[in-house]
Amino acid sequence: MGDSLSAAYNMAIEQSWPALMQNQLNRQNTGVKVINASISGETSIGGLERLPALLDKHQPQFMVLELGGNDGLRGYKFSQTRANLASMIRLAHEADAKVLLIGVRLPPNLGPVYNQRFQQMYQQLAEEFAVAFIPRFLEGIAASDPAYMQADGIHPTSLAQPILADRVLEKVLTLLPE
C-alpha cells in the first residue's frame, strides 16, 4: 500500500522497487508474491478506503505501508493522517498480516519543525503497534546523488529503485516465517 514512491512514478512498473523486490524474492525461492496496490497521489484516507477490499481479496501475510506523504504535502492534519495509518495497521493485524511501516520525509521547504513532527508520527505508530519500521525511506538517496532523484526532487529515479528494493527486502525477510 503506497503512493507514487511505490507506484513506479514516471518509469516502467518493472523498474519499481516492488517489482525488483519480487525478482529478489523469486531468486530466493521464498514463494512470496508481491501485490503492489500503490497509486500515485494516494492519501492515507484513500488507502484506508481501499484496504478492506484488498485484504479480503489477497489475504496477505504481510503489508508494506508507505503512505502519508501526500497528506503532508497537502497540509492535512497530523491527527487525521495518524488515525488513518493506525486504522490501516489495525485492519492488517485483524487480517493476520504483519506490517512494515515506511516513514517518509517531506521536502525541506515545509520547514524543519513540520518535517520533524511528521517523521515522529511514523516513529510513534511503529512503537505503538510494534511493527517493523523503516524510518526514512529515501535516506541516502534524496540528498546523496542527483541521479537518484527525478527533476521534481520528490520521486526517486530508476537508478534508486534497487536501493529501495534492498532496503525493504531486508525488513520483509524478517517478517517471513522461518
Side-chain angles (χ1 to χ4, degrees):
M1 289 295 300
D3 54 29
S4 57
L5 297 180
S6 301
Y9 180 80
N10 210 20
M11 69 183 74
I13 194 72
E14 298 82 24
Q15 295 176 306
S16 70
W17 71 260
L20 297 174
M21 185 174 74
Q22 178 68 74
N23 294 341
Q24 292 174 347
L25 289 163
N26 291 346
R27 283 193 295 277
Q28 295 180 24
N29 294 314
T30 62
V32 172
K33 180 180 178 188
V34 175
I35 297 159
N36 189 351
S38 303
I39 298 175
S40 289
E42 184 73 281
T43 61
S44 65
I45 189 67
L48 179 57
E49 289 171 356
R50 292 187 309 117
L51 185 58
L54 289 166
L55 290 171
D56 186 52
K57 179 180 179 181
H58 298 292
Q59 301 178 356
Q61 291 178 319
F62 63 91
M63 177 179 74
V64 177
L65 179 56
E66 178 274 308
L67 277 175
N70 289 312
D71 295 34
L73 291 172
R74 294 175 186 176
Y76 291 0
K77 292 181 180 179
F78 289 121
S79 59
Q80 178 185 6
T81 301
R82 188 185 193 291
N84 293 337
L85 293 174
S87 293
M88 292 178 77
I89 293 169
R90 279 190 208 96
L91 286 170
H93 284 168
E94 289 168 7
D96 294 322
K98 296 177 183 176
V99 175
L100 167 58
L101 180 63
I102 296 180
V104 295
R105 185 178 176 132
L106 298 172
N109 64 317
L110 295 173
V113 173
Y114 187 84
N115 219 326
Q116 182 180 13
R117 286 188 58 217
F118 192 77
Q119 290 175 325
Q120 286 172 344
M121 174 183 62
Y122 289 98
Q123 182 70 44
Q124 291 165 355
L125 285 166
E127 291 170 5
E128 178 181 340
F129 291 97
V131 296
F133 181 49
I134 298 174
R136 293 183 176 185
F137 192 40
L138 299 181
E139 185 171 43
I141 292 173
S144 69
D145 184 342
Y148 288 151
M149 294 301 288
Q150 294 181 33
D152 63 10
I154 294 173
H155 298 97
T157 64
S158 59
L159 291 175
Q161 299 300 309
I163 298 167
L164 297 173
D166 289 344
R167 186 168 290 162
V168 176
L169 180 64
E170 180 181 334
K171 290 287 187 177
V172 165
L173 291 175
T174 67
L175 301 175
L176 298 179
E178 295 183 25

